[in-house]
Amino acid sequence: MNFSLDEDQLAIKTMTRDFVNQEIIPQAREYDEKEEFPFEIHNKLREVGLYNFAVPEQFGGPGVDKISHALIVEELARGCAGVTTSVEANSLASYPILVGGTEEQKKKYFGIISSGGFSAFALTEPSAGSDVASLKTTAERVGDEYVLNGEKCFITNASYANYYTVLAKLKDSEGSKRFVALIVDRESEGVSVGPHEKKMGLRSSNTASVTFEEVRVPVANRLGEEGDGFKIFMKALSYARPMVGAQALGIAQGAYEEAVNYAKERKQFGQPISNFQGIQFMLADMAMEIEASRLLVQKAVWYVQQGTPNTKISSFAKCFASDTALKVAADAVQIHGGYGYIREYAVEKYFRDAKIMQIYEGTNQIQRVVIAKDILQD
């Protein structure tokens, strides 16, 4: 085992941290308050190569290894989880194409996002979140096309996506459990996007519903074979979940740093509150749980880097890191006292952003189901 980062990884981490300190943190609060999508920040991220990490280098990606990918995501989320979520939405939508796409599909659609476009992963529905088998969106084969009908909700980047990777149930028989994965172009007739959702956190990230009404999708836009859709999307999530852990880790790290700095500066009873053992124990627990999260995330990412994502380890990382993020953010607010409840202080935003980490890309209850199933199987 080697727990040290190599020179390239350290350089990427340092470069990303510097970028975040200079370009994201000074503006994060403003974009959060206005609930605006920060195109300027995204354009700058693209300029310095901090985008589309799931895209292979031969298709226009930055060519970073998966450990570096996780390091970048952690640093970005330390600055703003909303920005990071939209950056990673391009990665999430890329994984089904990476898993089940042809060379032609990869060249075309990775080319779109590598040249400044956005994409979106369209899985969740109003009546089907954790229970993917209950999807109501259907795809019916008609000649050389599929006719797509249904609604997807809570879709990141929905308003700005050039295309969507969509999971639909094949409309071939009553009660069908066969699924198909499709790439749907935004400009296709029958595609409509709802209003931007008003959210507790991640306010600088775009979230909206997408409706498909008699949308005709060429068979050439199918990923894998008919019936492979569910398998493709689940494998895609196994690639993505460690990066949710990395996002949660970044939120926790940012909240922790704010708490440490505040504890050193804030004086009560004639001395910094960092001198009090009650505060010291809180900071020690925060540091310990963050480091444990980091090790789990990096282990999960290592499996992805080997091309063999481990579902159980991915769930470990996503679940533990996101639980840690909320706990650390809550403790950071507590250490700030009343000031932690005021928007002027960064810990208030970290706290709001942390909650979604326990929910999206598989709730932490579902992660525990996945883990239990793995450890109890023969």
Side-chain angles (χ1 to χ4, degrees):
M1 294 183 185
N2 183 356
F3 294 102
S4 60
L5 303 175
D6 63 33
E7 288 185 8
D8 289 340
Q9 291 164 343
L10 285 170
I12 287 172
K13 180 178 174 65
T14 300
M15 184 268 282
T16 307
R17 176 166 277 253
D18 290 343
F19 180 94
V20 167
N21 289 343
Q22 294 166 19
E23 303 290 346
I24 295 182
I25 289 177
Q27 302 183 74
R29 171 61 63 182
E30 180 180 355
Y31 281 114
D32 180 80
E33 291 284 350
K34 293 180 178 179
E35 300 190 39
E36 287 183 2
F37 192 82
F39 285 106
E40 181 184 356
I41 291 176
H42 286 280
N43 290 337
K44 288 181 178 179
L45 284 166
R46 291 179 191 273
E47 289 172 8
V48 296
L50 297 176
Y51 229 94
N52 296 321
F53 308 113
V55 177
E57 193 170 8
Q58 66 264 37
F59 297 110
V64 298
D65 62 272
K66 286 300 165 187
I67 299 293
S68 296
H69 182 173
L71 293 171
I72 292 167
V73 168
E74 177 187 341
E75 289 298 333
L76 291 178
R78 183 184 65 85
C80 180
V83 169
T84 314
T85 296
S86 287
V87 170
E88 277 300 279
N90 266 19
S91 296
L92 179 58
S94 297
Y95 289 126
I97 301 173
L98 201 62
V99 170
T102 64
E103 289 298 299
E104 291 77 16
Q105 289 169 336
K106 292 173 184 175
K107 183 176 181 181
K108 177 180 178 180
Y109 289 101
F110 288 161
I112 290 172
I113 58 175
S114 295
S115 58
F118 293 97
S119 57
F121 182 85
L123 175 61
T124 303
E125 298 184 2
S127 60
S130 300
D131 183 11
V132 177
S134 294
L135 292 180
K136 292 187 173 12
T137 297
T138 61
E140 182 177 14
R141 177 76 177 262
V142 180
D144 291 333
E145 296 177 318
Y146 289 96
V147 179
L148 185 66
N149 284 282
E151 180 186 359
K152 301 292 184 176
C153 65
F154 308 143
I155 306 304
T156 303
N157 286 357
S159 301
Y160 308 114
N162 297 87
Y163 62 87
Y164 309 94
T165 50
V166 180
L167 184 65
K169 188 173 289 186
L170 280 163
K171 193 177 180 181
D172 54 6
S173 63
E174 190 65 31
S176 170
K177 295 297 182 183
R178 298 176 67 232
F179 295 86
V180 63
L182 301 170
I183 307 172
V184 182
D185 293 304
R186 167 65 183 276
E187 299 306 317
S188 301
E189 186 176 351
V191 176
S192 59
V193 179
H196 171 61
E197 300 284 2
K198 299 288 188 179
K199 307 189 296 291
M200 175 193 295
L202 307 186
R203 292 177 179 174
S204 61
S205 175
N206 172 258
T207 307
S209 62
V210 185
T211 302
F212 306 103
E213 187 174 353
E214 296 292 303
V215 178
R216 293 189 170 269
V217 183
V219 171
N221 278 29
R222 184 185 68 210
L223 296 170
E225 301 299 322
E226 282 194 352
D228 287 349
F230 185 84
K231 180 175 65 177
I232 288 170
F233 265 62
M234 292 305 103
K235 189 170 183 180
L237 285 171
S238 71
Y239 280 94
R241 278 176 180 153
M243 297 307 169
V244 178
Q247 285 188 64
L249 181 58
I251 292 171
Q253 183 67 36
Y256 165 74
E257 290 176 10
E258 291 290 333
V260 170
N261 291 335
Y262 184 82
K264 289 178 178 178
E265 295 170 1
R266 174 67 168 170
K267 291 185 177 180
Q268 290 288 276
F269 305 102
Q271 58 185 309
I273 64 172
S274 59
N275 287 355
F276 299 116
Q277 195 174 62
I279 300 296
Q280 291 174 356
F281 282 6
M282 291 175 74
L283 294 173
D285 283 343
M286 292 160 80
M288 181 167 51
E289 288 159 7
I290 288 169
E291 189 62 18
S293 298
R294 184 171 287 114
L295 290 170
L296 272 176
V297 167
Q298 291 188 353
K299 183 174 182 179
V301 171
W302 181 85
Y303 276 106
V304 173
Q305 189 159 290
Q306 306 311 304
T308 56
N310 184 299
T311 301
K312 180 177 71 174
I313 302 300
S314 292
S315 291
F316 279 168
K318 191 272 184 187
C319 189
F320 189 85
S322 55
D323 282 349
T324 295
L326 190 62
K327 182 180 183 301
V328 167
D331 284 348
V333 170
Q334 190 71 19
I335 287 171
H336 279 68
Y339 291 109
Y341 206 69
I342 304 301
R343 288 184 184 179
E344 180 184 347
Y345 288 80
V347 290
E348 180 268 346
K349 180 177 181 297
Y350 284 125
F351 182 73
R352 286 187 288 105
D353 287 346
K355 182 57 194 174
I356 192 62
M357 299 294 148
Q358 295 180 314
I359 298 173
Y360 69 1
E361 292 189 38
T363 67
N364 282 7
Q365 286 69 36
I366 288 296
Q367 302 312 313
R368 287 172 167 86
V369 169
V370 170
I371 293 164
K373 182 178 179 180
D374 184 274
I375 63 179
L376 293 174
Q377 68 184 359
D378 234 358

